[in-house]
Amino acid sequence: MFIVKKILKVCEIFTSIQGESSFAGIPCTFIRLTGCNLRCTYCDTKYAYNDGKEMSVKQILTEVERYGFNLVEITGGEPLLQAGVYQLISNIIDNNHTVLIETNGSVSIKEVDKRAIIILDIKTPGSAMSEKMDFSNFELLKNNDEVKFVLTDRLDYEWAKEVIVSNNLQKKSHLLMSPAYGILPPERLVEWMLKDKLDARLNLQIHKYIFGVEKRRV
């Protein structure tokens, strides 16, 4: 495999169980890249705005293989802000890993390797970043991609439902409805989903329930 020497700024690489998405509960290697173009009100990874060190794609691949898990998530911050990420994604997949890309919905996913699974985190009004969303990404989704809405209140829930219906997202990808941790009680969201017969998955951040809010890695 030929690897051009690309450099990325990496906040951290660690292993844990996957806390969200339809892959929740599966052991996973996480690559958190530095930098984000959004400032969500409920952000729980502010340390990723600037913290990190420069690593080559080859160095990152070595770390991934050292940990030895099949599932790999590339996240941030916003991972698609760094040009070298696209090569990193393809190289990890070439090494027979399943790759998840968690991206904040404001950056085009057009150049992402189609073999990767996109987790498109659409920001609701409660995040104060909903106007930054690039809804053209919906046209690029594959059937195995996932769209996540983090909800702070009923207004966010109704907004998310409207986005789902108006963009026909039920037929384009898996839908994840996430109560903002410590803000929206999960049981309230469940009540709304059941009443509306919403065809979506309740998406809890189970790593926070297992390890606590402050712990960054295992």
Side-chain angles (χ1 to χ4, degrees):
M1 177 176 56
F2 178 71
I3 300 175
V4 179
K5 189 176 182 181
K6 292 279 189 178
I7 301 297
L8 295 97
K9 190 170 183 181
V10 179
C11 178
E12 58 184 348
I13 302 176
F14 63 100
T15 59
S16 185
I17 55 99
Q18 175 59 244
E20 303 184 69
S21 80
S22 60
F23 292 84
I26 299 175
C28 181
T29 298
F30 292 84
I31 303 167
R32 187 183 305 283
L33 299 183
T34 300
C36 190
N37 58 324
L38 302 184
R39 293 295 184 267
C40 298
T41 57
Y42 49 71
C43 181
D44 58 1
T45 52
K46 292 179 180 178
Y47 61 89
Y49 291 168
N50 299 297
D51 292 356
K53 64 178 181 178
E54 290 188 344
M55 296 180 68
S56 68
V57 168
K58 185 175 181 180
Q59 288 173 318
I60 299 171
L61 291 173
T62 298
E63 285 292 286
V64 169
E65 296 309 316
R66 182 173 67 85
Y67 284 126
F69 293 110
N70 175 67
L71 186 63
V72 177
E73 176 172 313
I74 301 176
T75 183
E78 172 45 55
L80 300 186
L81 293 177
Q82 298 194 45
V85 72
Y86 302 103
Q87 180 188 318
L88 177 64
I89 293 166
S90 295
N91 288 159
I92 295 175
I93 295 172
D94 288 342
N95 283 352
N96 298 315
H97 292 280
T98 298
V99 175
L100 311 178
I101 309 298
E102 182 151 8
T103 178
N104 67 23
S106 69
V107 182
S108 176
I109 60 174
K110 183 178 180 180
E111 301 303 322
V112 176
D113 192 310
K114 298 302 183 288
R115 297 173 295 171
I117 297 170
I118 298 290
I119 301 174
L120 193 64
D121 188 349
I122 297 299
K123 306 304 181 184
T124 59
S127 72
M129 293 288 122
S130 59
E131 293 184 359
K132 303 288 187 179
M133 295 298 94
D134 181 359
F135 285 171
S136 68
N137 278 323
F138 293 149
E139 299 303 318
L140 301 171
L141 290 170
K142 309 181 299 298
N143 289 336
N144 63 339
D145 289 333
E146 309 193 353
V147 178
K148 179 173 75 170
F149 297 90
V150 178
L151 312 171
T152 64
D153 55 22
R154 183 62 186 253
L155 291 176
D156 276 357
Y157 175 75
E158 295 297 336
W159 183 90
K161 284 199 306 176
E162 174 60 28
V163 171
I164 290 168
V165 172
S166 61
N167 293 279
N168 201 27
L169 294 182
Q170 307 98 319
K171 296 183 179 180
K172 292 181 179 178
S173 61
H174 303 291
L175 300 176
L176 308 173
M177 303 296 276
S178 303
Y181 188 88
I183 299 175
L184 177 62
E187 60 269 26
R188 192 165 300 161
L189 176 55
V190 170
E191 290 173 2
W192 301 339
M193 292 173 66
L194 292 176
K195 183 177 180 180
D196 292 340
K197 298 180 175 61
L198 189 66
D199 187 14
R201 177 189 293 266
L202 178 69
N203 185 61
L204 298 179
Q205 294 179 296
I206 63 172
H207 53 290
K208 291 184 177 179
Y209 292 92
I210 297 170
F211 303 116
V213 178
E214 299 300 326
K215 191 166 184 180
R216 282 166 56 165
R217 67 181 72 189
V218 177

